[in-house]
Amino acid sequence: MQSFVFLSLAALSAAWPALQEIQNAHPNVLQEAAKLAARTLEGRQNDPLGTSRAETNCGPTPCLNFDPADQLVSTSGQWAYASPAASDIRGPCPGLNAAANHGYLPRNGIATIEQTVSGLGAAYNLGPVVTAALAAYAIALDGNVAEGVWSIGGPLPADLLVGGLLGTGQGLSYSHNNYEGDASIGRNDAYTNHGDAHSLNITKFERVYAVGGNDQSVDGRAQRYTLDKFRARFQEVQEESIANNPYFFTGVFSTVVVVPAAYNFVINLMSNHSLEEPSGYLDGYNFKSFFGVTGKPGSFVWKRGQERIPDRWYRRPSSNQYEGPDVVGDVALGYLAYPGTLKFGGNTGKVNTFTGVDVSDLTGGVYNAATLFQGNNFQCFAFQIAQNGIPSFLKGPLSEVNKIVAYVGGYFAPLLSGLNCPQLGAYDQGLFNSFPGYKYSPTGPDTNY
Ligand code: HEM
């Protein structure tokens, strides 16, 4: 937490000369920046909820400049929208689906690391280091390392499902507990929907839409979404999952890191940017477009596979890509602002039976509830547990498993370097054996989206 707050302050003071330069040109920008600085300082006083409420839609480091040439995302020519063909793959992630529908990712929904890094950079300015790590993890657990590809949705086609496959090859749609987790923004928990955690539940979408205001129009232009509103919604969704899903379980990387990160991705990566609001704003119009939803509150319709980048939409600036420390910093701030959302454990087979596991027992005493957010610890923890969990999801001889762990480790190393992370010795996943949700691993019907 400390380092997170200092990051924002450091960024602000580094930007100060530039701010003075633009003072004359855009006085309102400076005014906004001053307000921001005040709010960030306020957050420093050990007030994570205040910091969460003050955070802009650009995440830990506010975006102070708007450069239309840099930020306009093309939706024409080779980047024109096209609905997926029947053989194309789409899945649980609207950001990836939209990118594929515009050709920023291969339109068939199967990508290499290089394609993922360049495509998500061009579409969203997601940082290359974290993107490569996320793609490598997907390749190792749900794709095919030998072919170097992963699927953004359902299983890889038969010809890519051979050779060097220790993971499932089932794609993100059937990555329950290794990537996909419970208490998502718009998707059902896998167990409560016959294994389908990739289809949008329109009622759930309706609920999250409502946190942005009361604009009942089709355009939804008056709606406004923030990181803090989404963090509060995450708490509600967790409570609903515990009350409805007997198999609710918090996979350590999937549900503790990926799921809240996905809430933050909506704000940090789907917000539109303008001269007036360089740090971005997300209204109902943009939110619905990225989620493939049409209509107005009360009569929303989800168009399966139709997630779309809006025309004349401006991504976050290239000078402030959303990188690994931002991703983890935003998740950490969410836990500090809403401490009840930090959960390790699950229901024990009946609803409302949530039983927690002590993070200290899980990590051989390396982290505990008090130290988890000190210094760089949460960043260390998030990326270490992602890697340490890998063997439990792979099938094959130990020597082969170790090769895959090393392959993913190569992509995670830059996220951990220089952090002086404590060594994570024992990582005791056996603690999860008593939770039925831990072993629940649907492979689902063989659909593309
Ligand atoms: C390599 C990059 C990425 C990977 C591997 C990835 C993977 C995933 C996975 C596994 C989920 C399911 C998590 C859950 O259970 O809630 C998910 C959900 C989500 N992702 Fe991504 N994602 C990536 C990039 C992005 C980007 C660039 C965006 C935004 C522009 C994004 C936005 C979202 C959102 C909003 C959800 C939640 C959807 C819902 O619950 O309705 N992701 N992603």
Side-chain angles (χ1 to χ4, degrees), residues 277-298:
E277 296 186 71
S279 253
Y281 67 92
L282 185 69
D283 59 15
Y285 178 84
N286 288 286
F287 188 14
K288 281 193 303 172
S289 177
F290 277 111
F291 269 67
V293 171
T294 57
K296 57 184 184 176

Side-chain angles (χ1 to χ4, degrees), residues 142-144 147 155-163 165 167-170:
D142 309 303
N144 188 338
E147 302 288 341
L156 287 169
D159 60 330
L160 289 173
L161 266 178
V162 286
L165 204 65
T168 66
Q170 293 295 300

Side-chain angles (χ1 to χ4, degrees), residues 92-96 98-99 105 116-117 120 124 126 130-138 142 150 172-173 175-176 178-188 197-201 204-205 230 254-255 258-270 287 290-291 313:
C93 175
L96 298 171
L105 289 178
T116 313
V117 169
L120 298 185
Y124 302 113
L126 185 61
V130 75
T131 306
L134 293 174
Y137 184 88
D142 309 303
W150 62 292
L172 284 194
S173 292
S175 65
H176 186 59
N178 72 52
Y179 229 150
E180 182 282 317
D182 291 340
S184 307
I185 309 165
R187 270 71 188 168
N188 289 315
H198 60 272
S199 300
L200 187 78
N201 174 336
K204 213 171 179 183
F205 179 82
F230 267 35
S254 56
T255 311
V258 176
V259 169
Y263 280 73
N264 299 335
F265 275 22
V266 178
I267 305 297
N268 281 299
L269 300 175
M270 294 178 174
F287 188 14
F290 277 111
F291 269 67
W313 179 81

Side-chain angles (χ1 to χ4, degrees), residues 342-429:
L342 182 66
K343 291 187 172 73
F344 299 97
N347 276 342
T348 56
K350 294 199 171 88
V351 298
N352 290 318
T353 54
F354 183 85
T355 307
V357 163
D358 193 328
V359 68
S360 172
D361 294 337
L362 190 62
T363 60
V366 172
Y367 301 108
N368 61 45
T371 60
L372 192 57
F373 295 100
Q374 283 171 3
N376 296 315
N377 280 356
F378 191 73
Q379 196 170 331
C380 294
F381 172 80
F383 295 130
Q384 285 172 330
I385 45 122
Q387 296 176 78
N388 282 44
I390 292 171
S392 69
F393 297 115
L394 299 179
K395 292 184 182 65
L398 189 61
S399 58
E400 293 302 307
V401 170
N402 286 341
K403 277 189 211 157
I404 307 269
V405 171
Y407 163 83
V408 179
Y411 289 95
F412 274 76
L415 293 166
L416 290 163
S417 79
L419 296 182
N420 288 323
C421 293
Q423 199 68 32
L424 194 61
Y427 175 53
D428 189 359
Q429 298 203 89

